[in-house]
């Protein structure tokens, strides 16, 4: 039997290996019958994390049917959606359809919510074979059930935004919150965002500006993204480089910045990010494709005195901050909306 503290973390749902928390588990029990401290969500849509979707899509040669089969097999065999290669998941939206009498989450049956805990630790059962998904987008219409624990978090979906937009913004809401916190705490003036025209990148630029940064550089991969980012007005300067080419990143950025935020969805951006950051500065690695060893050993090898932060997906108030930046910043909407498929 597990105590209330362990149950709150979802340990009772771990099938193997014993003794780990749900995020590290290979397999979870996704039984829709809830315990007294749990909440069941009737799933409507999943948002696969960008790094996971890109990896699945590339490994299936862009074949949507194969991507769908791969996602179904992961969820069936693991009881959760955790890409075994990237280790990442995403999040979901749905309707609360059962609340245990001891759940502390304050949710009510019928509320429409987004889970703000990762799919990598959320017990998930899919019942429609993902029949309405073509396997070609990060957002996945789905039917099934998901379980929230006593220490999970969920946000009631706002009425003023399309669900697909809320899902996309909330999936990356840790990035603007982390950026704002670092800029405020270090009184940073110059910020470089790598992958600046994407969802987390555009929100991070807006958050850096709101937090007091005055020299914002957005690094993007090509002319098309550069034009879109310039038109958005979010960055003071737009530069083009392949984020995985460290020397090209350093040359494009020029004078290193106080803070660098890594928002790409591909591996290999660590060294460029370190080179883009001044001595005494901070790198926030929000990308799930980040390698701890590449970042740590790379910085050591360059004798770079930078603080490196793992972009924690949770910061108090992160959901409201991201939704508010989306609502109040036309440039953020201009970059995110075309990436959201209704
Ligand atoms: P996104 O909207 O797809 O943005 C990624 C951007 O990076 C795109 O503009 C992409 O360009 C660009 N990019 C890709 N490869 C590049 C390269 N070699 N050089 C320059 N730019 C490049 O992704 P997102 O949803 O913001 O997610 C970004 C990252 O955050 C992902 O790794 C995701 O897994 C991670 N994430 C982290 C957390 C957390 O809690 N830490 C939570 C959610 C997501 P194209 O569109 O042209 O490819």
């Amino acid at each position: 039997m597990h105590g209330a503290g362990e149950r709150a973390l979802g340990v009772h749902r771990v099938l193997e290996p014993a003794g780990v928390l749900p995020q590290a588990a290979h397999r979870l029990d996704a039984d829709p019958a809830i315990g007294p401290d749990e909440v069941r969500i009737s799933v409507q849509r999943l948002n696969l994390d960008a790094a996971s979707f890109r990896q699945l899509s590339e490994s299936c040669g862009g074949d949507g049917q194969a991507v769908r089969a791969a996602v179904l097999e992961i969820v069936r065999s693991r009881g959760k959606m955790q890409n075994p290669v990237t280790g990442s998941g995403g999040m979901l939206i749905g309707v609360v359809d059962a609340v245990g009498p001891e759940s502390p989450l304050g949710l009510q049956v019928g509320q429409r919510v987004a889970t703000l805990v990762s799919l990598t630790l959320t017990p998930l059962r899919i019942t429609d074979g993902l029949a309405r998904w073509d396997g070609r987008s990060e957002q996945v219409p789905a039917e099934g059930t998901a379980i929230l624990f006593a220490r999970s978090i969920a946000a009631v979906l706002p009425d003023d935004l399309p669900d697909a937009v809320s899902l996309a913004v909330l999936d990356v809401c840790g990035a603007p919150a982390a950026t704002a916190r670092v800029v405020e705490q270090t009184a940073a003036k110059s910020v470089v965002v790598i992958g600046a025209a994407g969802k987390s990148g555009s929100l991070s630029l807006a958050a850096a500006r709101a937090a007091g940064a005055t020299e914002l550089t957005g690094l993007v991969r090509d002319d098309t993204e550069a034009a879109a980012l310039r038109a958005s007005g979010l960055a003071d300067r737009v530069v083009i480089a392949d984020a995985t080419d460290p020397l090209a990143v350093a040359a494009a950025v020029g004078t290193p910045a106080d803070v660098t935020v890594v928002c790409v969805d591909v591996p290999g951006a660590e060294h460029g990010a370190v080179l883009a950051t001044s001595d005494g500065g901070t790198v926030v690695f929000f990308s799930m494709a980040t390698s701890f060893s590449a970042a740590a050993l790379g910085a050591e090898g360059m004798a770079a005195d930078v603080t490196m932060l793992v972009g924690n997906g949770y910061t108090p108030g992160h959901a409201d901050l991201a939704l508010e930046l989306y609502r109040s910043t036309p440039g953020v909407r201009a970059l995110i909306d075309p990436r959201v498929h209704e």
Side-chain angles (χ1 to χ4, degrees), residues 49-51 54 138 171-172 195 197-201 219-221 225 241-244 263-266 286-289 311-313 339:
D49 140 271
R54 181 183 285 267
E138 289 169 17
D171 180 47
V172 295
K199 297 182 289 294
S200 57
L219 184 143
V220 296
R221 77 146 101 221
E225 285 204 325
D242 176 353
T244 66
C263 291
V264 291
D265 54 350
V266 290
F286 188 70
S287 166
M288 284 290 165
N312 179 352
R339 291 179 178 270

Side-chain angles (χ1 to χ4, degrees), residues 13-17 20 22 24-30 75-80 82:
R13 290 271 183 174
V14 173
L15 293 178
E16 61 173 295
V20 301
H26 181 64
R27 203 157 62 88
L28 296 181
D29 175 5
V75 176
R76 189 200 60 76
S77 62
R78 304 198 68 176
K80 59 177 178 173
Q82 182 171 27

Side-chain angles (χ1 to χ4, degrees), residues 115-133:
T115 61
L116 296 181
V117 285
S118 172
L119 290 179
T120 63
L121 55 89
T122 304
L124 178 67
R125 185 171 282 189
I126 289 173
T127 54
D128 69 344
L130 302 180
R132 287 175 294 138
W133 185 45

Side-chain angles (χ1 to χ4, degrees), residues 205-340:
L205 280 173
R209 178 91 67 201
T214 50
E215 298 164 43
L216 302 188
T217 299
L219 184 143
V220 296
R221 77 146 101 221
D222 57 26
D223 289 330
T224 309
E225 285 204 325
L229 183 58
R230 278 192 198 101
S232 79
L234 293 176
D236 301 306
R237 195 168 64 107
V238 177
V239 299
I240 299 173
D242 176 353
T244 66
D245 180 340
L247 299 181
V249 170
V253 168
T255 306
D258 300 330
V259 172
T260 300
V261 188
V262 181
C263 291
V264 291
D265 54 350
V266 290
E270 299 85 356
H271 297 170
V274 170
L275 287 175
T277 312
S278 62
D279 261 7
T282 305
V283 186
V284 180
F285 286 109
F286 188 70
S287 166
M288 284 290 165
T290 302
S291 155
F292 179 90
S293 52
L297 299 175
E300 177 194 277
M302 293 177 244
D305 177 19
V306 294
T307 300
M308 296 189 286
L309 301 177
V310 174
N312 179 352
Y314 175 69
T315 307
H318 61 340
D320 288 344
L321 173 71
L323 290 170
E324 211 35 56
L325 286 170
Y326 175 86
R327 288 188 186 100
S328 63
T329 321
V332 170
R333 294 201 296 276
L335 289 172
I336 289 184
D337 287 353
R339 291 179 178 270
V340 174

Side-chain angles (χ1 to χ4, degrees), residues 36-57:
D37 53 353
E38 294 180 332
V39 169
R40 184 174 63 237
I41 309 290
S42 174
V43 176
Q44 294 178 321
R45 191 177 275 241
L46 311 177
N47 191 100
L48 301 183
D49 140 271
S52 171
F53 178 72
R54 181 183 285 267
Q55 188 280 328
L56 284 166
S57 197

